[in-house]
């Protein structure tokens, strides 16, 4: 239950004065999709449509306006923001509506004209009655020798001057909220930010010279100069640290909860594994062997496994996963492998099936497509234990799916699943070990914030015999040349992926771009071109993939990332259009789809000129290295973490009060702090821990608290 002290902060924003549903919506847009609260254990409260007051507190100013300059009209410097005490003169309504409405004003030194476009004359006549004294504030302009001010920011009575003279924070806005309205609403929200108990270590707060939470929020919203706006100002740094600590603490609690939940030691006899290893046409890499022994150690111990297997695309994670599942099967249990999409689930099925049958075990595929009698048969085989390995999508973990004795759940491409989903899987059996696989080369700093609760194995080297991929960056204006080269390649039997532009968050536009490109390539290469996109029926997708895998199609046009996991080892060319719009991690994943077979491969990154400096640098990184970790670190450096994975669905936690790219050192401190806290007081019972619970609720990471109870 949320602590009472936080109730005021979690009221809907619509309870604030002057905020109706329309404004609430506009505010939500301005605050944007900065996420938060969705990782590290999820949240119990929240989910309010228009947002809550607390969301406003995290919406920090990006600038500050100083309105203390009070010259006379004639002395006012053009371009400066000035606050003037004037007398209102004549109103001049235009005859033509498109011309501006003007109000002449004056002081002892001279005259200033106020200019309004699309004016509401009734309103102006009411606020600025002729002959009355008024205070106005805005930017001074000189126009055709006269002094003027267009749309003053403030127009008030003389006795209200104190309200505007000070410093004014500038907030990021969206259509539908003006600076003035946003400022008012946020100062309304700040009234609800009462003092909270201190959750940080007193000595550390002293050492850093940080304000209390309440003072930090107040200070962050009332900057006095540019320095106060910097991320390393004490107030902002403290708030950023609070958020990091909430994140680490939530992960720590989940981790502890999982740990203390006893596991069941799994000790295989190695017989099934040996059969599979004997049928492999290759030797395991050193990293694969190490990862397998780390997993073995986890599985043998009597605490539950919670391990992340991180390896670049093509580094051979699937075999490692299979080995882990085989151990469980050897020990008399079952294993399940969950992929984020049906296409990927099918692909795992294709890879694993022959190996499993060599070992003489039965595996099944379960996705949303298995229905009726077929599904019933699958469910009964899982319930009876006849089937020992199941591969599929989240359909594997629906309520009515019962396992005979599920011992290990492997989750592929975890970044698309939330922590919650990950944990719900473990409800399917008795003390299920969990292994998560990801191909996203997450930089170390981010690793901690996203997977701080897991042990990590990394596959560092690629399997032997992989050839480097020739990566080229070229403008779309050279499309003709590319088509000619493509023609030559295809005549030698090459196969190419052609990935179409990512259109900002719009599936519809993505689709039309892909269809246009498909038509164009068809006109050039005829029947050799296929199309696959997210809106196609599963059957059609399979058919297109199949045709490409068999070679009856040479060029497969695809929308964005939906199908990137697909493994067609004969494909040697990857074309990405509008490469500048993709995140580097995505480009890296896409490129990883080629270079898997014996032939040398190439990747062509097409861009729309002109390229900005950062975009240029990013594509250059792609050209110069194939090392996913280097790419991820560079991407983080160039763009900051917010954009790291290019899409909003990345599932990595986003921080509202700081950019992880700049917070590396603080993350480590938060991690160490968390370890100390949980070692000393694992039940979160001490005085400080009570405050820490408030912190978890404040950042909506309270879902983690339930691991205290169940643990
Ligand atoms: P990913 O890590 O992207 O999931 P996969 O597990 O799909 O990679 O492996 C990619 C390809 O490499 C597969 O065809 C697999 O059979 C092959 N492979 C895996 N391990 C090795 C190895 N040690 N040597 C050679 N090829 C390997
Ligand atoms: Mg894979």
């Amino acid at each position: 239950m949320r602590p009472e002290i936080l109730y005021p902060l979690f009221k809907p924003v619509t309870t604030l004065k002057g905020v109706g549903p329309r404004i609430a919506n506009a505010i939500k847009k301005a605050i944007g999709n900065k996420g938060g609260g969705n990782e590290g254990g999820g949240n119990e409260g929240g989910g309010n449509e228009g947002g809550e007051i607390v969301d406003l507190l995290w919406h920090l100013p990006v600038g500050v306006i100083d309105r203390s300059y009070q010259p006379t009209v004639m002395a006012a410097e053009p371009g400066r923001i000035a606050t003037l005490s004037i007398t209102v003169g004549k109103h001049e309504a235009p005859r033509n509506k498109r011309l501006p409405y003007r109000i002449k004003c004056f002081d002892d030194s001279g005259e200033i004209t106020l200019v309004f476009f699309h004016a509401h004359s009734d309103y102006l006549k009411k606020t600025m009655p002729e002959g009355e004294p008024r205070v106005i504030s805005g930017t001074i302009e000189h126009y055709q020798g006269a002094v003027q001010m267009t749309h003053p920011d403030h127009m008030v009575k003389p006795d209200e001057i104190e309200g505007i003279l000070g410093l004014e924070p500038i907030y990021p806005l969206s259509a539908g909220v003006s600076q003035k309205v946003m400022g008012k609403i946020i100062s309304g929200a700040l009234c609800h930010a009462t003092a909270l108990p201190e959750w940080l270590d007193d000595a550390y707060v002293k050492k850093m010279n940080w304000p209390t939470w309440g003072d930090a929020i107040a200070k962050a919203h009332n900057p006095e100069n540019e320095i106060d706006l910097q991320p390393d100002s004490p107030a902002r740094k403290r708030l950023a640290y609070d958020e990091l600590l909430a994140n680490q603490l939530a992960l720590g609690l989940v981790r502890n909860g999982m740990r203390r939940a006893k596991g069941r030691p799994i000790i295989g006899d190695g017989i099934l594994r040996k059969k599979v290893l004997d049928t492999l046409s290759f030797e395991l890499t050193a990293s694969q062997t190490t990862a397998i022994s780390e997993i073995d150690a986890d599985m043998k111990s009597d605490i539950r496994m919670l391990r992340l297997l991180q390896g670049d695309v093509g580094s051979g994670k699937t075999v490692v996963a299979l080995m882990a599942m085989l151990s469980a099967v050897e020990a008399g249990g079952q294993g399940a492998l969950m992929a984020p999409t049906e296409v990927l689930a099918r692909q795992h099925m294709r890879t694993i099936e022959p190996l499993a049958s060599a070992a003489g075990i039965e595996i099944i595929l379960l996705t949303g497509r298995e229905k009726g009698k077929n599904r019933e048969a699958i469910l009964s085989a899982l319930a009876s234990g006849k089937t020992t390995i199941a591969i599929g999508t989240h359909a594997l973990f629906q309520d009515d799916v019962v396992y005979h004795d599920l011992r290990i759940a492997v989750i592929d491409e975890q970044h698309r699943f939330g922590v919650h989903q990950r944990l719900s899987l473990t409800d399917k059996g008795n003390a299920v070990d969990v292994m998560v696989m990801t191909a996203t080369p997450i930089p170390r700093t981010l690793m901690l914030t996203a997977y701080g609760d897991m042990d990590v194995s990394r596959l560092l080297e690629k399997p032997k015999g992989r050839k480097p991929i020739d990566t080229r960056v070229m403008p779309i204006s050279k499309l003709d040349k590319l088509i000619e080269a493509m023609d030559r390649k295809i005549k030698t039997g090459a196969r190419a992926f052609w990935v179409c532009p990512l259109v900002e968050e719009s599936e519809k536009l993505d689709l039309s771009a892909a269809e246009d490109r498909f038509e164009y390539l068809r006109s050039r290469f005829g029947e050799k071109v296929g199309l696959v996109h997210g809106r196609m029926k599963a059957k059609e997708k399979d058919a297109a993939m199949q045709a490409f895998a068999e070679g009856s199609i040479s060029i497969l046009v695809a929308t964005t990332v939906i199908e990137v996991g697909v493994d067609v080892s004969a494909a040697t060319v990857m074309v990405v259009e509008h490469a500048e719009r993709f995140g580097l991690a995505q480009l890296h994943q896409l490129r990883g789809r080629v270079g898997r077979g014996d032939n040398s491969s190439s990747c062509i990154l097409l861009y729309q000129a002109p390229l900005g400096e950062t975009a240029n640098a990013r594509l250059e990184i792609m050209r110069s290295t194939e090392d996913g970790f280097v790419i991820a670190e560079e991407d983080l450096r160039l763009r900051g973490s917010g954009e790291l994975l290019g899409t909003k669905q990345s599932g990595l936690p986003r921080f509202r009060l700081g950019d992880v790219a700049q917070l590396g050192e603080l993350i480590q401190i938060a991690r160490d702090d968390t370890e100390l806290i949980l070692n000393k007081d694992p039940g979160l019972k001490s005085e400080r821990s009570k405050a820490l619970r408030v912190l978890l609720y404040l950042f909506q990471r309270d879902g983690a608290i339930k691991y205290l109870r169940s643990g």
Side-chain angles (χ1 to χ4, degrees):
M1 283 247 298
R2 176 178 294 142
E4 235 167 274
I5 194 167
L6 293 179
Y7 286 180
L9 291 181
F10 283 86
K11 285 192 192 148
V13 291
T14 44
T15 59
L16 289 171
K17 207 173 138 227
V19 185
R22 192 184 58 78
I23 297 258
N25 237 321
I27 293 175
K28 205 171 161 190
K29 279 207 194 95
I31 290 175
N33 197 309
K34 276 190 275 175
N38 54 353
E39 277 289 314
N43 63 314
E44 283 172 359
N48 197 299
E49 267 308 307
E52 287 146 349
I53 290 175
V54 69
D55 298 322
L56 288 168
L57 300 186
W58 309 143
H59 193 55
L60 298 183
V62 289
V64 53
I65 293 180
D66 182 352
R67 295 195 187 276
S68 61
Y69 175 54
Q70 295 184 75
T72 61
V73 167
M74 289 330 271
E77 287 171 39
R80 264 185 93 170
I81 290 183
T83 302
L84 306 174
S85 298
I86 45 82
T87 304
V88 182
K90 265 198 144 15
H91 283 234
E92 293 173 1
R95 258 164 295 151
N96 181 339
K97 277 245 174 214
R98 270 178 303 178
L99 293 173
Y101 188 102
R102 295 170 202 273
I103 306 177
K104 301 277 185 195
C105 299
F106 54 89
D107 67 3
D108 292 344
S109 73
E111 190 183 70
I112 180 168
T113 306
L114 309 187
V115 180
F116 302 86
F117 294 90
H118 311 290
H120 294 285
S121 54
D122 291 348
Y123 167 78
L124 289 174
K125 280 185 185 126
K126 213 174 95 203
T127 22
M128 299 290 280
E130 200 173 325
E132 293 290 320
R134 284 291 181 268
V135 172
I136 57 172
S137 186
T139 307
I140 300 293
E141 298 157 25
H142 282 185
Y143 182 71
Q144 295 181 345
V147 185
Q148 70 172 37
M149 185 181 288
T150 310
H151 292 243
D153 303 323
H154 298 277
M155 297 182 289
V156 299
K157 294 185 182 141
D159 60 353
E160 292 166 334
I161 189 168
E162 285 307 319
I164 52 173
L165 266 189
L167 298 165
E168 192 177 291
I170 304 176
Y171 290 100
L173 299 175
S174 66
V177 227
S178 67
Q179 199 56 254
K180 209 158 129 189
V181 169
M182 183 65 98
K184 268 198 187 142
I185 294 171
I186 291 189
S187 52
L190 285 171
C191 296
H192 294 261
T194 45
L196 295 176
E198 183 58 86
W199 45 73
L200 297 185
D201 177 49
D202 288 331
Y204 186 59
V205 173
K206 269 218 187 80
K207 183 180 145 210
M208 300 300 283
N209 218 349
W210 283 346
T212 62
W213 179 80
D215 289 348
I217 276 287
K219 178 82 183 161
H221 282 281
N222 292 290
E224 283 168 24
N225 47 47
E226 288 295 317
I227 296 168
D228 289 345
L229 296 165
Q230 300 306 312
D232 56 0
S233 70
R236 289 205 175 207
K237 208 160 170 182
R238 183 208 155 115
L239 295 175
Y241 185 76
D242 286 342
E243 187 174 25
L244 288 174
L245 184 63
N247 164 260
Q248 286 301 308
L249 192 59
L251 289 169
L253 287 172
V254 173
R255 180 191 178 96
N256 271 6
M258 296 286 293
R259 292 282 131 133
R260 272 177 297 131
K262 279 227 165 206
R264 291 190 290 157
I266 298 175
I267 303 171
D269 55 19
I271 291 176
L272 294 176
R273 278 188 174 187
K274 180 157 187 326
K275 285 187 188 160
V276 169
L277 286 174
D278 287 346
T279 58
L280 287 181
S281 58
F282 50 78
E283 299 273 302
L284 295 180
T285 64
S287 302
Q288 282 172 320
T289 308
T290 309
I292 291 170
S293 60
E294 286 164 347
I295 291 162
D296 282 349
D298 284 357
M299 292 175 75
K300 275 181 189 149
S301 91
D302 65 354
I303 41 179
R304 254 198 242 176
M305 172 163 78
L306 191 53
R307 182 169 286 276
L308 178 71
L309 178 64
Q310 193 184 21
D312 233 336
V313 175
S315 58
K317 295 184 291 295
T318 316
V319 178
V320 176
L322 178 60
M323 290 298 145
M325 291 193 288
L326 287 176
S327 265
V329 176
E330 286 169 1
Q334 293 167 301
L337 168 59
M338 175 169 86
T341 67
E342 200 175 308
V343 174
L344 290 175
R346 276 174 204 286
Q347 179 163 324
H348 280 306
M349 186 70 181
R350 275 196 295 274
T351 320
I352 291 178
E353 197 166 34
L355 299 175
S357 80
I361 61 173
E362 190 184 315
I363 69 173
I364 54 98
L365 179 72
L366 181 57
T367 71
R369 250 165 96 192
E370 277 65 46
K371 293 209 175 86
K373 284 248 154 60
N374 184 15
R375 183 165 187 272
E376 275 166 36
I378 289 169
L379 294 198
S380 97
L382 286 175
S384 71
K386 181 165 157 281
T387 290
T388 49
I389 292 184
I391 293 172
T393 55
H394 57 272
L396 286 171
F397 296 99
Q398 261 149 22
D399 284 343
D400 61 338
V401 182
V402 177
Y403 292 82
H404 176 64
D405 187 11
L406 184 65
R407 303 291 291 268
I408 178 169
V410 180
I411 306 161
D412 189 15
E413 310 278 61
Q414 196 269 346
H415 63 269
R416 298 191 189 200
F417 301 106
V419 168
H420 251 3
Q421 269 171 301
R422 186 207 293 169
L423 291 167
S424 71
L425 308 185
T426 58
D427 296 344
K428 283 289 172 190
N430 173 6
V432 179
D433 281 335
V434 175
M435 183 171 105
V436 170
M437 306 197 287
T438 179
T440 312
I442 306 160
R444 279 183 191 283
T445 44
L446 276 185
M447 276 299 285
L448 269 183
T449 66
Y451 301 104
D453 56 335
M454 309 187 91
D455 299 305
V456 180
S457 296
R458 279 183 164 187
L459 299 184
L460 293 170
E461 77 258 56
K462 292 213 173 170
K464 281 202 193 83
R466 293 276 158 80
K467 300 217 169 78
I469 299 166
D470 177 21
T471 300
R472 306 205 174 179
V473 177
M474 58 168 81
I476 187 82
S477 56
K478 292 199 180 153
L479 185 65
D480 284 347
K481 275 217 165 107
L482 173 61
I483 298 280
E484 277 167 35
M486 186 72 92
D487 192 29
R488 288 194 296 273
K489 284 246 176 195
I490 285 175
K491 284 193 175 124
T492 68
R495 259 167 273 169
F497 285 106
W498 192 299
V499 175
C500 279
L502 184 68
V503 181
E504 194 71 29
E505 302 300 329
S506 160
E507 240 184 88
K508 222 178 184 169
L509 291 177
D510 276 357
L511 183 55
S512 88
E515 277 171 341
D516 290 351
R517 183 55 74 212
F518 171 69
E519 291 305 329
Y520 175 79
L521 290 171
R522 270 249 152 153
S523 72
R524 187 64 214 263
F525 298 105
E527 297 292 305
K528 298 222 124 258
V529 187
L531 174 67
V532 60
H533 58 75
R535 294 239 179 135
M536 279 161 74
K537 293 216 179 73
K539 274 218 167 99
E540 298 167 349
K541 274 196 239 179
D542 284 355
M545 289 309 309
Q546 194 61 31
F548 186 56
E550 288 165 4
S552 52
I553 284 174
S554 302
I555 303 178
L556 185 66
V557 179
T559 46
T560 65
V561 246
I562 305 156
E563 319 299 337
V564 289
V566 167
D567 193 0
V568 176
S569 59
T572 55
V573 183
M574 169 63 67
V575 179
V576 183
E577 278 195 53
H578 272 296
E580 77 278 6
R581 291 185 191 168
F582 288 81
L584 286 193
Q586 280 178 332
L587 289 178
H588 178 65
Q589 295 243 10
L590 288 170
R591 183 169 59 183
R593 293 299 134 203
V594 297
R596 296 181 151 221
D598 300 330
N599 296 318
S600 57
S601 299
S602 52
C603 172
I604 294 100
L605 302 176
L606 291 171
Y607 65 86
Q608 180 76 57
L611 268 191
E613 202 175 308
T614 309
N616 193 29
R618 295 172 65 244
L619 293 182
E620 176 53 27
I621 291 166
M622 288 304 297
R623 209 189 53 70
S624 62
T625 181
E626 270 184 64
D627 185 327
F629 290 101
V630 172
I631 291 171
E633 297 286 352
E634 285 293 302
D635 200 19
L636 184 64
R637 192 176 62 75
L638 283 171
R639 296 210 303 175
S641 62
E643 316 239 13
L644 184 64
L645 297 169
T647 63
K648 289 182 181 159
Q649 300 93 313
S650 68
L652 286 176
R654 290 165 192 239
F655 291 86
R656 294 187 273 198
L657 295 168
D659 187 332
V660 185
Q662 295 158 0
L663 293 173
E665 173 204 1
L666 281 189
I667 294 173
Q668 191 56 51
I669 294 170
R671 159 109 171 153
D672 296 344
D673 201 3
T674 296
E675 216 172 292
L676 267 173
I677 293 164
L678 293 179
N679 278 339
K680 251 192 351 211
D681 184 22
L684 287 192
K685 296 214 164 68
S686 71
E687 257 331 284
R688 181 183 173 197
S689 291
K690 273 185 209 145
L692 284 163
R693 286 174 187 241
V694 173
L695 174 71
L696 287 171
Y697 280 97
L698 182 64
F699 284 101
Q700 286 157 279
R701 283 175 160 103
D702 44 285
I705 287 178
K706 75 165 179 280
Y707 294 96
L708 274 177
R709 288 180 217 129
S710 64

